[in-house]
Amino acid sequence: MTNAVMRPDLSSVEVTWPDGSTNLFPYIWLRDNDPAGLHPDTKERIADLTELPRDLTAQQVQISDRDLSITWSDTVTRLELDWLAANRPGTRRVDPADIPSILWRSGLGAAGIPRAKADAVLADDSALQTWMQDTKAYGLSIVEGLADSTEAGMDVARRIGFLRETNFGLTFEVKSKPNPNNLAYTPIALPMHTDLPNQELAPGFQFLHCLANDAVGGGSLFCDGFAIANDLRTIDPAAFALLSTTTIPFRFHDAGCDIRSRKEVIRVNGDGDVYEFAFNAHIADILDLPPEHMAPFYAAYRKMMEMTRDAKYLVTLKLQAGEMVVFDNRRALHGREAFDPSTGYRHLHGCYVDRGEFDSRMRVLAR
């Protein structure tokens, strides 16, 4: 049986559950989550917290098989016990998009990259959900069997959410072309990097659909930035600390734009977990740290850069026409071997979907 008592000394209601465990529910929290304070259609909060007394006190607490009722001086709040049990203070809400990262290194190999069929992803929500979970866990996957059309990859991306537009457009063509404004549009090798850290919010998931890859060279390279960051934290804690606490400038500029941002190369959340890798030596702006900080930072930066090129971390593959690689641009670093455009045509078509859109779709599918 569930019981509840007022705890005025803690400004809370103490609930004892059938298994004997107890939880404190602060008065202010209970009142702030009163269903009567939510809009009946949108479920958005419309109650004004500032209108509540600072010394809010419950006058009476009653409990039934289903509900907890708290009587205040001006109203009664009723909350379902199941809802209270699922939202106990101090316990984070279960999030279907919170998929634990599976860290990988070269041992994953091209054969170990999760794969899915385009037809299944487009037609079946269950297949879509499984593929998205795999992509989130590894930060990398391949979709096979796409039609020979630039729309085919976009159709898969749009199964997830809205496309993210950047200064390069809603989509972009990765091929050698005259007067390029980005090294991706040349045939030279591209070292490992993440795209557009110069943006205030770098794009989330990148979709690169291979339409042709007949030239000599042009293999794709990938590594797991989270694995590198966690290894760096173990082998060189000082370097990790510098890269995760020092912001550096990134900048992309051409005739039409000048987009700049500052951020840490390795970004950690409040729990100390790595949640983003921001590394692109080509668009790192002039380092503006104080002179006395330059040498230690450059040493840490170089150490991390060397790790991104270490065969221990690299997975290489050559995409075939009809395949699309999908990866978390704020986790998986990617690069490219040089290719000879005189030996054949190489054409990839790309777009982005932000992490928020990706996670939202996972939550809706989980319903």
Side-chain angles (χ1 to χ4, degrees):
M1 182 176 177
T2 303
N3 294 303
V5 296
M6 292 186 295
R7 290 291 305 271
D9 55 323
L10 299 174
S11 298
S12 300
V13 172
E14 184 177 79
V15 175
T16 302
W17 303 101
D19 64 1
S21 63
T22 62
N23 289 107
L24 288 173
F25 294 87
Y27 292 155
I28 188 66
W29 182 91
L30 291 165
R31 186 65 183 268
D32 187 42
N33 287 287
D34 188 333
L38 305 179
H39 190 280
D41 297 320
T42 71
K43 304 305 180 184
E44 294 171 301
R45 187 176 283 108
I46 55 175
D48 187 346
L49 185 65
T50 65
E51 293 181 354
L52 299 180
R54 294 183 183 275
D55 57 349
L56 182 68
T57 301
Q59 296 186 344
Q60 184 181 11
V61 172
Q62 293 179 307
I63 199 163
S64 68
D65 291 339
R66 296 182 55 188
D67 300 317
L68 173 71
S69 298
I70 310 101
T71 301
W72 315 102
S73 62
D74 59 340
T75 189
V76 176
T77 294
R78 291 182 176 83
L79 294 162
E80 293 182 358
L81 292 179
D82 287 347
W83 184 92
L84 286 169
N87 294 281
R88 308 177 198 203
T91 302
R92 294 184 182 180
R93 182 193 291 265
V94 174
D95 186 354
D98 187 15
I99 305 294
S101 296
I102 298 174
L103 304 187
W104 50 269
R105 298 165 181 81
S106 62
L108 177 71
I113 299 173
R115 289 177 175 261
K117 298 293 185 182
D119 287 349
V121 167
L122 290 168
D124 180 58
D125 280 353
S126 178
L128 174 65
Q129 183 180 33
T130 298
W131 166 64
M132 291 183 69
Q133 289 171 340
D134 289 344
T135 304
K136 184 75 180 284
Y138 286 86
L140 176 68
S141 69
I142 292 175
V143 179
E144 304 172 324
L146 273 75
D148 184 19
S149 162
T150 56
E151 293 292 324
M154 296 166 65
D155 287 343
V156 173
R158 287 187 172 122
R159 275 282 276 158
I160 296 169
F162 297 106
L163 305 190
R164 162 76 177 273
E165 189 165 11
T166 73
N167 55 293
F168 295 101
L170 192 64
T171 65
F172 51 93
E173 310 288 345
V174 183
K175 58 184 178 181
S176 181
K177 59 185 181 182
N179 303 314
N181 66 344
N182 188 285
L183 289 175
Y185 306 147
T186 73
I188 69 173
L190 295 179
M192 305 302 283
H193 65 282
T194 60
D195 276 8
L196 309 186
N198 62 296
Q199 296 275 353
E200 180 183 11
L201 179 66
F205 285 82
Q206 182 170 167
F207 297 71
L208 276 178
H209 174 200
C210 180
L211 294 161
N213 200 7
D214 300 325
V216 174
S220 297
L221 313 171
F222 296 94
C223 66
D224 187 349
F226 287 4
I228 289 174
N230 280 282
D231 286 355
L232 182 64
R233 177 159 28 194
T234 299
I235 64 179
D236 195 337
F240 179 90
L242 276 174
L243 294 172
S244 61
T245 58
T246 306
T247 63
I248 64 171
F250 295 93
R251 180 189 186 197
F252 176 88
H253 58 106
D254 61 11
C257 64
D258 189 340
I259 305 172
R260 312 182 193 191
S261 180
R262 296 189 68 93
K263 50 177 65 84
E264 303 86 356
V265 175
I266 298 172
R267 313 191 78 186
V268 298
N269 61 23
D271 296 324
D273 298 324
V274 177
Y275 76 92
E276 182 173 341
F277 208 96
F279 172 66
N280 190 320
H282 297 304
I283 58 174
D285 202 5
I286 299 169
L287 196 60
D288 53 7
L289 303 180
E292 64 272 20
H293 295 166
M294 290 287 192
F297 181 84
Y298 268 114
Y301 189 56
R302 177 168 180 158
K303 174 70 173 178
M304 183 274 303
M305 189 181 297
E306 289 170 345
M307 293 175 73
T308 69
R309 302 176 185 184
D310 190 331
K312 172 183 176 180
Y313 296 101
L314 295 181
V315 169
T316 64
L317 66 149
K318 185 161 183 176
L319 288 170
Q320 304 299 312
E323 292 182 335
M324 180 169 68
V325 63
V326 181
F327 57 94
D328 184 346
N329 177 61
R330 290 156 63 188
R331 171 184 173 179
L333 287 78
H334 64 289
R336 180 189 69 207
E337 297 171 341
F339 65 96
D340 183 353
S342 69
T343 61
Y345 188 50
R346 186 180 191 273
H347 180 197
L348 277 65
H349 185 257
C351 61
Y352 302 111
V353 171
D354 277 331
R355 276 180 170 182
E357 290 289 318
F358 196 96
D359 288 354
S360 172
R361 186 64 167 140
M362 292 185 72
R363 295 179 189 119
V364 172
L365 288 168
R367 291 176 184 173

